[in-house]
Short mmCIF file of all heavy atoms in Angstrom, two decimals:
data_model
loop_
_atom_site.label_atom_id
_atom_site.label_comp_id
_atom_site.label_asym_id
_atom_site.label_seq_id
_atom_site.Cartn_x
_atom_site.Cartn_y
_atom_site.Cartn_z
N ALA Q 1 -11.64 0.27 14.08
CA ALA Q 1 -11.84 -0.43 12.80
C ALA Q 1 -10.81 -1.55 12.66
O ALA Q 1 -11.14 -2.65 12.22
CB ALA Q 1 -11.75 0.55 11.63
N ARG Q 2 -9.58 -1.28 13.06
CA ARG Q 2 -8.55 -2.32 12.99
C ARG Q 2 -8.88 -3.46 13.94
O ARG Q 2 -8.74 -4.64 13.60
CB ARG Q 2 -7.19 -1.74 13.31
CG ARG Q 2 -6.11 -2.80 13.25
CD ARG Q 2 -4.74 -2.26 13.57
NE ARG Q 2 -3.78 -3.35 13.45
CZ ARG Q 2 -2.55 -3.20 13.09
NH1 ARG Q 2 -2.10 -2.00 12.80
NH2 ARG Q 2 -1.75 -4.22 13.02
N SER Q 3 -9.30 -3.13 15.15
CA SER Q 3 -9.67 -4.17 16.12
C SER Q 3 -10.83 -5.01 15.59
O SER Q 3 -10.85 -6.23 15.77
CB SER Q 3 -10.06 -3.54 17.46
OG SER Q 3 -8.96 -2.87 18.02
N ALA Q 4 -11.78 -4.36 14.94
CA ALA Q 4 -12.92 -5.09 14.36
C ALA Q 4 -12.44 -6.04 13.27
O ALA Q 4 -12.86 -7.21 13.23
CB ALA Q 4 -13.95 -4.11 13.81
N ARG Q 5 -11.57 -5.56 12.39
CA ARG Q 5 -11.03 -6.44 11.33
C ARG Q 5 -10.33 -7.64 11.92
O ARG Q 5 -10.54 -8.78 11.49
CB ARG Q 5 -10.05 -5.66 10.45
CG ARG Q 5 -10.69 -4.66 9.52
CD ARG Q 5 -9.70 -4.13 8.50
NE ARG Q 5 -8.53 -3.49 9.08
CZ ARG Q 5 -8.43 -2.20 9.35
NH1 ARG Q 5 -9.45 -1.39 9.12
NH2 ARG Q 5 -7.31 -1.70 9.86
N ASP Q 6 -9.48 -7.40 12.93
CA ASP Q 6 -8.72 -8.49 13.54
C ASP Q 6 -9.65 -9.50 14.22
O ASP Q 6 -9.45 -10.72 14.09
CB ASP Q 6 -7.72 -7.94 14.56
CG ASP Q 6 -6.60 -7.14 13.92
OD1 ASP Q 6 -6.40 -7.24 12.69
OD2 ASP Q 6 -5.92 -6.41 14.66
N SER Q 7 -10.66 -9.02 14.94
CA SER Q 7 -11.60 -9.92 15.62
C SER Q 7 -12.38 -10.78 14.63
O SER Q 7 -12.55 -11.98 14.83
CB SER Q 7 -12.59 -9.10 16.47
OG SER Q 7 -11.92 -8.48 17.53
N VAL Q 8 -12.84 -10.16 13.56
CA VAL Q 8 -13.61 -10.90 12.55
C VAL Q 8 -12.71 -11.92 11.84
O VAL Q 8 -13.10 -13.08 11.67
CB VAL Q 8 -14.25 -9.92 11.54
CG1 VAL Q 8 -14.81 -10.65 10.34
CG2 VAL Q 8 -15.34 -9.11 12.25
N ARG Q 9 -11.53 -11.51 11.46
CA ARG Q 9 -10.61 -12.43 10.78
C ARG Q 9 -10.31 -13.64 11.67
O ARG Q 9 -10.38 -14.79 11.21
CB ARG Q 9 -9.31 -11.70 10.43
CG ARG Q 9 -8.34 -12.56 9.63
CD ARG Q 9 -7.04 -11.81 9.29
NE ARG Q 9 -7.28 -10.57 8.56
CZ ARG Q 9 -7.14 -9.34 9.09
NH1 ARG Q 9 -6.76 -9.19 10.35
NH2 ARG Q 9 -7.36 -8.28 8.35
N ASP Q 10 -10.01 -13.40 12.93
CA ASP Q 10 -9.69 -14.50 13.85
C ASP Q 10 -10.87 -15.45 14.02
O ASP Q 10 -10.72 -16.67 14.00
CB ASP Q 10 -9.26 -13.96 15.21
CG ASP Q 10 -7.91 -13.25 15.16
OD1 ASP Q 10 -7.17 -13.39 14.16
OD2 ASP Q 10 -7.60 -12.54 16.14
N ARG Q 11 -12.07 -14.89 14.19
CA ARG Q 11 -13.26 -15.73 14.40
C ARG Q 11 -13.57 -16.55 13.15
O ARG Q 11 -13.86 -17.74 13.24
CB ARG Q 11 -14.46 -14.86 14.79
CG ARG Q 11 -15.75 -15.63 14.97
CD ARG Q 11 -15.66 -16.75 15.99
NE ARG Q 11 -15.13 -16.23 17.24
CZ ARG Q 11 -15.15 -16.88 18.39
NH1 ARG Q 11 -15.70 -18.07 18.48
NH2 ARG Q 11 -14.62 -16.35 19.48
N LEU Q 12 -13.53 -15.92 11.99
CA LEU Q 12 -13.88 -16.64 10.76
C LEU Q 12 -12.84 -17.71 10.43
O LEU Q 12 -13.19 -18.77 9.91
CB LEU Q 12 -14.07 -15.66 9.60
CG LEU Q 12 -15.25 -14.70 9.79
CD1 LEU Q 12 -15.39 -13.81 8.56
CD2 LEU Q 12 -16.54 -15.43 10.08
N ARG Q 13 -11.59 -17.45 10.74
CA ARG Q 13 -10.57 -18.50 10.56
C ARG Q 13 -10.84 -19.67 11.49
O ARG Q 13 -10.69 -20.82 11.10
CB ARG Q 13 -9.18 -17.93 10.80
CG ARG Q 13 -8.68 -17.10 9.65
CD ARG Q 13 -7.29 -16.58 9.90
NE ARG Q 13 -6.81 -15.82 8.76
CZ ARG Q 13 -5.77 -15.00 8.82
NH1 ARG Q 13 -5.09 -14.85 9.94
NH2 ARG Q 13 -5.40 -14.33 7.75
N ALA Q 14 -11.23 -19.37 12.74
CA ALA Q 14 -11.55 -20.44 13.69
C ALA Q 14 -12.74 -21.26 13.21
O ALA Q 14 -12.80 -22.48 13.44
CB ALA Q 14 -11.82 -19.86 15.08
N TRP Q 15 -13.69 -20.60 12.54
CA TRP Q 15 -14.86 -21.29 11.99
C TRP Q 15 -14.55 -21.95 10.65
O TRP Q 15 -15.41 -22.59 10.05
CB TRP Q 15 -16.02 -20.33 11.82
CG TRP Q 15 -16.68 -19.90 13.08
CD1 TRP Q 15 -16.53 -20.41 14.33
CD2 TRP Q 15 -17.63 -18.84 13.21
NE1 TRP Q 15 -17.33 -19.75 15.24
CE2 TRP Q 15 -18.02 -18.77 14.57
CE3 TRP Q 15 -18.20 -17.92 12.32
CZ2 TRP Q 15 -18.94 -17.85 15.05
CZ3 TRP Q 15 -19.10 -16.99 12.79
CH2 TRP Q 15 -19.48 -16.96 14.15
N LYS Q 16 -13.33 -21.76 10.13
CA LYS Q 16 -12.90 -22.32 8.86
C LYS Q 16 -13.75 -21.82 7.68
O LYS Q 16 -14.07 -22.56 6.75
CB LYS Q 16 -12.87 -23.84 8.91
CG LYS Q 16 -11.90 -24.36 9.95
CD LYS Q 16 -11.75 -25.85 9.88
CE LYS Q 16 -10.87 -26.46 10.94
NZ LYS Q 16 -9.91 -25.74 11.64
N VAL Q 17 -14.09 -20.54 7.73
CA VAL Q 17 -14.80 -19.91 6.61
C VAL Q 17 -13.81 -19.75 5.47
O VAL Q 17 -12.65 -19.36 5.69
CB VAL Q 17 -15.37 -18.54 7.06
CG1 VAL Q 17 -15.92 -17.75 5.89
CG2 VAL Q 17 -16.45 -18.75 8.11
N PRO Q 18 -14.21 -20.06 4.22
CA PRO Q 18 -13.29 -19.96 3.08
C PRO Q 18 -12.65 -18.57 2.97
O PRO Q 18 -13.26 -17.56 3.31
CB PRO Q 18 -14.20 -20.24 1.88
CG PRO Q 18 -15.32 -21.05 2.43
CD PRO Q 18 -15.53 -20.54 3.83
N GLY Q 19 -11.42 -18.56 2.44
CA GLY Q 19 -10.61 -17.36 2.37
C GLY Q 19 -11.27 -16.16 1.70
O GLY Q 19 -11.19 -15.05 2.21
N ASP Q 20 -11.90 -16.37 0.54
CA ASP Q 20 -12.53 -15.25 -0.17
C ASP Q 20 -13.65 -14.64 0.66
O ASP Q 20 -13.78 -13.42 0.74
CB ASP Q 20 -13.08 -15.69 -1.53
CG ASP Q 20 -11.98 -16.00 -2.52
OD1 ASP Q 20 -10.81 -15.63 -2.27
OD2 ASP Q 20 -12.28 -16.61 -3.56
N THR Q 21 -14.46 -15.48 1.26
CA THR Q 21 -15.57 -15.00 2.09
C THR Q 21 -15.02 -14.28 3.31
O THR Q 21 -15.52 -13.22 3.71
CB THR Q 21 -16.48 -16.16 2.51
OG1 THR Q 21 -16.96 -16.82 1.34
CG2 THR Q 21 -17.66 -15.66 3.33
N CYS Q 22 -13.98 -14.81 3.90
CA CYS Q 22 -13.35 -14.19 5.07
C CYS Q 22 -12.82 -12.80 4.70
O CYS Q 22 -13.06 -11.83 5.43
CB CYS Q 22 -12.23 -15.08 5.59
SG CYS Q 22 -11.42 -14.46 7.08
N CYS Q 23 -12.12 -12.69 3.59
CA CYS Q 23 -11.58 -11.39 3.16
C CYS Q 23 -12.69 -10.38 2.91
O CYS Q 23 -12.58 -9.21 3.32
CB CYS Q 23 -10.73 -11.56 1.91
SG CYS Q 23 -9.16 -12.40 2.20
N ASP Q 24 -13.76 -10.81 2.25
CA ASP Q 24 -14.88 -9.91 1.99
C ASP Q 24 -15.54 -9.47 3.29
O ASP Q 24 -15.90 -8.30 3.46
CB ASP Q 24 -15.92 -10.57 1.08
CG ASP Q 24 -15.45 -10.72 -0.36
OD1 ASP Q 24 -14.41 -10.12 -0.72
OD2 ASP Q 24 -16.13 -11.43 -1.12
N ALA Q 25 -15.69 -10.40 4.22
CA ALA Q 25 -16.32 -10.07 5.51
C ALA Q 25 -15.47 -9.07 6.29
O ALA Q 25 -16.00 -8.14 6.90
CB ALA Q 25 -16.53 -11.34 6.33
N VAL Q 26 -14.17 -9.25 6.28
CA VAL Q 26 -13.27 -8.33 6.98
C VAL Q 26 -13.39 -6.93 6.39
O VAL Q 26 -13.47 -5.94 7.12
CB VAL Q 26 -11.82 -8.85 6.94
CG1 VAL Q 26 -10.82 -7.78 7.38
CG2 VAL Q 26 -11.67 -10.10 7.79
N LEU Q 27 -13.43 -6.83 5.07
CA LEU Q 27 -13.58 -5.52 4.43
C LEU Q 27 -14.94 -4.90 4.75
O LEU Q 27 -15.04 -3.71 5.05
CB LEU Q 27 -13.40 -5.65 2.91
CG LEU Q 27 -13.48 -4.36 2.11
CD1 LEU Q 27 -12.53 -3.29 2.65
CD2 LEU Q 27 -13.21 -4.64 0.65
N LEU Q 28 -16.00 -5.71 4.72
CA LEU Q 28 -17.33 -5.20 5.06
C LEU Q 28 -17.38 -4.66 6.49
O LEU Q 28 -17.90 -3.57 6.73
CB LEU Q 28 -18.39 -6.29 4.88
CG LEU Q 28 -18.78 -6.62 3.45
CD1 LEU Q 28 -19.63 -7.88 3.41
CD2 LEU Q 28 -19.51 -5.47 2.80
N VAL Q 29 -16.85 -5.41 7.43
CA VAL Q 29 -16.85 -4.97 8.82
C VAL Q 29 -16.04 -3.69 8.97
O VAL Q 29 -16.43 -2.77 9.69
CB VAL Q 29 -16.32 -6.08 9.75
CG1 VAL Q 29 -15.99 -5.54 11.13
CG2 VAL Q 29 -17.36 -7.19 9.86
N SER Q 30 -14.92 -3.60 8.29
CA SER Q 30 -14.10 -2.40 8.35
C SER Q 30 -14.88 -1.18 7.86
O SER Q 30 -14.88 -0.12 8.50
CB SER Q 30 -12.84 -2.60 7.52
OG SER Q 30 -12.00 -1.47 7.61
N GLU Q 31 -15.55 -1.32 6.73
CA GLU Q 31 -16.32 -0.20 6.16
C GLU Q 31 -17.50 0.18 7.06
O GLU Q 31 -17.75 1.35 7.29
CB GLU Q 31 -16.81 -0.55 4.76
CG GLU Q 31 -15.70 -0.67 3.74
CD GLU Q 31 -14.87 0.59 3.57
OE1 GLU Q 31 -15.40 1.70 3.76
OE2 GLU Q 31 -13.67 0.47 3.26
N LEU Q 32 -18.22 -0.82 7.54
CA LEU Q 32 -19.39 -0.53 8.39
C LEU Q 32 -18.97 0.10 9.72
O LEU Q 32 -19.63 1.02 10.21
CB LEU Q 32 -20.20 -1.80 8.62
CG LEU Q 32 -20.86 -2.40 7.38
CD1 LEU Q 32 -21.57 -3.70 7.73
CD2 LEU Q 32 -21.80 -1.41 6.72
N THR Q 33 -17.88 -0.39 10.29
CA THR Q 33 -17.39 0.18 11.54
C THR Q 33 -16.93 1.62 11.33
O THR Q 33 -17.29 2.52 12.10
CB THR Q 33 -16.22 -0.66 12.10
OG1 THR Q 33 -16.67 -2.00 12.30
CG2 THR Q 33 -15.71 -0.10 13.41
N THR Q 34 -16.18 1.85 10.29
CA THR Q 34 -15.71 3.21 9.99
C THR Q 34 -16.86 4.16 9.77
O THR Q 34 -16.87 5.28 10.31
CB THR Q 34 -14.78 3.18 8.76
OG1 THR Q 34 -13.65 2.32 9.05
CG2 THR Q 34 -14.28 4.57 8.42
N ASN Q 35 -17.88 3.73 9.01
CA ASN Q 35 -19.05 4.59 8.78
C ASN Q 35 -19.75 4.93 10.09
O ASN Q 35 -20.13 6.08 10.31
CB ASN Q 35 -20.04 3.92 7.84
CG ASN Q 35 -19.62 4.02 6.39
OD1 ASN Q 35 -18.68 4.72 6.06
ND2 ASN Q 35 -20.31 3.30 5.54
N ALA Q 36 -19.93 3.94 10.95
CA ALA Q 36 -20.61 4.19 12.22
C ALA Q 36 -19.83 5.17 13.08
O ALA Q 36 -20.40 6.06 13.71
CB ALA Q 36 -20.82 2.88 12.96
N ILE Q 37 -18.51 5.02 13.09
CA ILE Q 37 -17.67 5.89 13.91
C ILE Q 37 -17.64 7.32 13.37
O ILE Q 37 -17.74 8.28 14.12
CB ILE Q 37 -16.26 5.29 14.03
CG1 ILE Q 37 -16.32 4.02 14.87
CG2 ILE Q 37 -15.28 6.30 14.62
CD1 ILE Q 37 -15.08 3.16 14.81
N LEU Q 38 -17.54 7.46 12.06
CA LEU Q 38 -17.43 8.79 11.46
C LEU Q 38 -18.75 9.53 11.34
O LEU Q 38 -18.77 10.76 11.38
CB LEU Q 38 -16.79 8.68 10.08
CG LEU Q 38 -15.34 8.23 10.02
CD1 LEU Q 38 -14.87 8.16 8.58
CD2 LEU Q 38 -14.44 9.16 10.83
N HIS Q 39 -19.85 8.81 11.17
CA HIS Q 39 -21.11 9.46 10.83
C HIS Q 39 -22.19 9.40 11.90
O HIS Q 39 -23.34 9.73 11.62
CB HIS Q 39 -21.64 8.90 9.51
CG HIS Q 39 -20.67 9.06 8.38
ND1 HIS Q 39 -20.30 10.29 7.89
CD2 HIS Q 39 -19.97 8.14 7.67
CE1 HIS Q 39 -19.42 10.12 6.91
NE2 HIS Q 39 -19.20 8.84 6.76
N THR Q 40 -21.85 8.93 13.09
CA THR Q 40 -22.81 8.95 14.20
C THR Q 40 -22.10 9.50 15.43
O THR Q 40 -20.89 9.62 15.46
CB THR Q 40 -23.37 7.54 14.53
OG1 THR Q 40 -22.32 6.76 15.12
CG2 THR Q 40 -23.92 6.85 13.30
N ASP Q 41 -22.87 9.84 16.43
CA ASP Q 41 -22.30 10.29 17.69
C ASP Q 41 -22.22 9.15 18.70
O ASP Q 41 -22.36 9.35 19.89
CB ASP Q 41 -23.15 11.43 18.27
CG ASP Q 41 -23.02 12.70 17.45
OD1 ASP Q 41 -21.95 12.92 16.87
OD2 ASP Q 41 -24.00 13.46 17.39
N SER Q 42 -22.02 7.95 18.21
CA SER Q 42 -21.98 6.77 19.06
C SER Q 42 -20.78 6.78 19.98
O SER Q 42 -19.69 7.20 19.60
CB SER Q 42 -21.93 5.50 18.21
OG SER Q 42 -23.08 5.37 17.43
N GLY Q 43 -20.98 6.25 21.18
CA GLY Q 43 -19.87 6.05 22.10
C GLY Q 43 -19.26 4.67 21.94
O GLY Q 43 -18.13 4.42 22.32
#
């Protein structure tokens, strides 16, 4: 989840996505990644 947050933040900053949108996207990715890891048997 941390790696996902860092990757998304770095990419969106490179794309010059506005700060509020970037912060929301990082939080969304964190939540979605955590849910997938905790609630599925995914590798």
